[in-house]
Amino acid sequence: MENIEIARVLQDVADLLEIKGSNPFRIRAYRNAAQVVAEHGTPLRKSVAEGADLTAIPSIGKDMARHIEELVTDGELSLLAELSQDVPLSLIEIMRLPGLGAKRAKKLWEELEITNLDELEAAAEAGDVAGLAGFGRKTQEKILSSIGRYRKREGRVKLGDADQYVMPLVEYLKEDEHVQHLEVAGSYRRRRETVRDIDLLAISDDADPVMRRFASYPDVQKVESSGGTRSTVLLKSGLQVDLRVVPPASHGAALAYFTGSKEHNVAMRKRAIKRGLRLSEYGVFRGGEGSDDPWAGEFVGGGDETEVYAALDLPWIPPELRENRGEIDAAERGELPKLISVESIRGDLQMHSTWSDGKDSLETMLEACVARGYEYFAITDHSKALAMTGGMDAAKLSEQWVEINGIRARHSEIRLLRGMEVDILAGGELDLEDEMLEQLDMVLISVHSRLDLPGPQQTERIIKAIQHPSVHILAHPTGRQINRRDPMQFDLDAVMQCAAENDVAVELNAHPDRLDLSDVHLMRAREIGCEIVISTDAHKTSDLDLMRYGVEQARRAWLQPSDVLNTLPFEELAKRLGLDPSI
Ligand code: DGT
Ligand code: CA
Ligand code: ZN
């Protein structure tokens, strides 16, 4: 645990004590200690390991020293856990909003039973906050805008959004002649669905000019901190970016370290120690433990990542796997999965056209699929229940089939599957007549309404739909929208079990707003033996490129091409999904 994290916990304790209305001296003691720890030059974890007397540090008394030792050894503080039994930890976010503070947070909690930002936002939107003594309309408005800003800054950013800010910044930095390589590390490189911040790594022998160029990037809102080899800025988008400059000799070691995850790093470092080695962001070393010089000892490797892993008797591990979910053991046994890549995708099985809410015509979508080298694709416009999307009834669907027949006659270079994304109605019935369902080449089903049904009812509803004999794929199974809408409450395991039994595949919706199923859910799907497809849900031709986000999540779930149906040639896909092979 780093000093900054220790400081954060002490700050949390102070905040909880303040909301509780504890003795002001005690509160101040924690605040002072937090500040001293945050600014302390050497890592306290090191001091603790060396058995140093922490009370020699100003503002650190006996109690505080014990807290720090506990944090460094256990990674958590029992005092904080105790306090949070009395006062919800999430009240801290509220009291830290500009203009609120402990007293007001306490009042919101006691009078309106508000414990977190979501509840506060809802109450403010409903106008309930203005009525509290000492609040008023102005404060209520201010609270809403503060929450908005807080979310932008503190909330995790969707990977697709982050990409939009990161790519131009990377290009800008690469233009600097002092930059030999530029890498994006952290959760971004591991392709997590959201990232808290961006960790950039510049490989250079000359850090100063690189730092200056970074700080003068036009999109920088604020330079949070700047040092010789590390700076942090806040972009205008609210995204925080860290840049570290490292020399070429440490390229691989630094990339591995800052790619993380932290849990993967910890396991790697333990492995190094077992081999009498020392692994750090500078390299792999033999000897030099306990020295203040990070380069102490014999340098074993670190120029590239393969060297780092090789020094620990391991093959290189793809970043998407580095979550300490068994990847190191698998690597040791030579059993790392041969992960799926975008190149292995042979077709896209969910997309919309101007027949419902898509922006491009059928033929334009077809041409875009051909351009991506696909062998097949499915057109899956919405059914009538989604009226706002121009969802189709049987008559309109028949008209679409006429157009499809014409297009098929003109284009033999790709197979067009006549599909539909059929709504699952509230009781589990499908939003299209059986006679029409039977004539579709491929039937996708999905929930777009009543996402709030009680769990058991939702489960029953989806299972009933899956059991319909015409169904092939359950699309965006949990209905979540990242940072916007939680997954539906239902028994996903039971649903996937039922899907497996009925030869219905589950979709990984590749849209970066959804990524539904998630990596963890996909692992479960594979365990259960459920077939998986990755589809973009494209609403315009450019959306077809979102396939990479789906593939990246699939990689995080350890999926190989053979785990994903739309990597198969059409004849095999047809066999596995029960489609008509003569389409
Ligand atoms: P995020 O930013 O929450 O989306 O996730 P990460 O993984 O990007 O985390 P971040 O930005 O805090 O740190 C980047 C990487 O640096 C992290 O994955 C591993 C490494 N790292 C940072 N702090 C520590 C630490 O205290 N111990 C270890 N072992 N590694 C760390
Ligand atoms: Ca990060
Ligand atoms: Zn949809």
Side-chain angles (χ1 to χ4, degrees), residues 32 35 99 122 147 188 199 201 254 288 351-352 382 406 413 429 460-461 487 496 535 540 583:
N32 289 343
Q35 190 174 354
I147 293 177
Y188 178 91
D199 306 277
L201 214 59
M351 71 188 68
H352 301 263
H382 287 288
E413 67 272 36
E429 302 82 11
E460 203 181 315
R461 168 193 190 189
M496 294 201 294
S535 309
K540 52 184 180 299
I583 295 161

Side-chain angles (χ1 to χ4, degrees), residues 1-2 5 45 156 185-188 190 192 194-199 242 244 256-263 265-266 269:
M1 190 171 247
E2 300 301 320
E5 297 166 85
R45 56 176 159 77
R156 298 184 64 88
S187 50
Y188 178 91
R190 303 197 311 279
R192 271 192 67 174
T194 60
V195 299
R196 184 181 54 80
D197 67 354
I198 300 297
D199 306 277
D242 262 19
R244 291 167 184 92
Y257 181 86
F258 292 111
T259 296
S261 65
K262 204 186 245 180
E263 293 72 19
N265 288 355
V266 168
R269 220 165 320 141

Side-chain angles (χ1 to χ4, degrees), residues 459-524:
T459 307
E460 203 181 315
R461 168 193 190 189
I462 300 172
I463 282 182
K464 180 170 175 195
I466 287 174
Q467 287 171 333
H468 190 290
S470 295
V471 171
H472 299 106
I473 296 173
L474 175 63
H476 46 74
T478 76
R480 74 151 174 184
Q481 286 176 13
I482 300 175
N483 285 355
R484 263 193 63 201
R485 193 165 77 199
D486 285 338
M488 295 183 287
Q489 300 284 316
F490 69 110
D491 186 344
L492 180 61
D493 260 27
V495 163
M496 294 201 294
Q497 206 89 48
C498 172
E501 284 158 16
N502 287 276
D503 295 323
V504 168
V506 288
E507 178 186 83
L508 158 51
N509 191 294
H511 200 290
D513 291 347
R514 288 191 184 264
L515 293 172
D516 182 8
L517 299 172
S518 69
D519 52 359
V520 179
H521 288 156
L522 288 166
M523 288 173 141
R524 190 72 191 126

Side-chain angles (χ1 to χ4, degrees), residues 52-66 69:
D53 179 14
L54 299 181
T55 59
I57 304 169
S59 294
I60 306 294
K62 266 204 187 125
D63 281 352
M64 219 55 79
R66 259 200 307 274
E69 283 160 15

Side-chain angles (χ1 to χ4, degrees), residues 32 57 135 178 191 245 255 414 540 556:
N32 289 343
I57 304 169
F135 281 77
H178 304 91
R191 306 312 280 165
V245 182
L255 181 57
I414 192 168
K540 52 184 180 299
R556 288 180 56 79

Side-chain angles (χ1 to χ4, degrees), residues 143-205:
I143 286 173
L144 281 173
S145 73
S146 302
I147 293 177
R149 258 177 288 123
Y150 174 92
R151 288 238 167 86
K152 251 192 165 166
R153 202 173 51 244
E154 299 283 333
R156 298 184 64 88
V157 177
K158 285 180 279 193
L159 188 57
D161 295 345
D163 265 327
Q164 292 176 26
Y165 304 121
V166 171
M167 286 171 178
L169 172 57
V170 165
E171 288 313 308
Y172 168 88
L173 288 172
K174 274 186 177 166
E175 278 166 26
D176 192 297
E177 54 178 1
H178 304 91
V179 173
Q180 296 179 18
H181 297 277
L182 196 96
E183 310 270 15
V184 192
S187 50
Y188 178 91
R189 184 166 179 241
R190 303 197 311 279
R191 306 312 280 165
R192 271 192 67 174
E193 61 192 34
T194 60
V195 299
R196 184 181 54 80
D197 67 354
I198 300 297
D199 306 277
L200 296 180
L201 214 59
I203 316 303
S204 173
D205 286 314

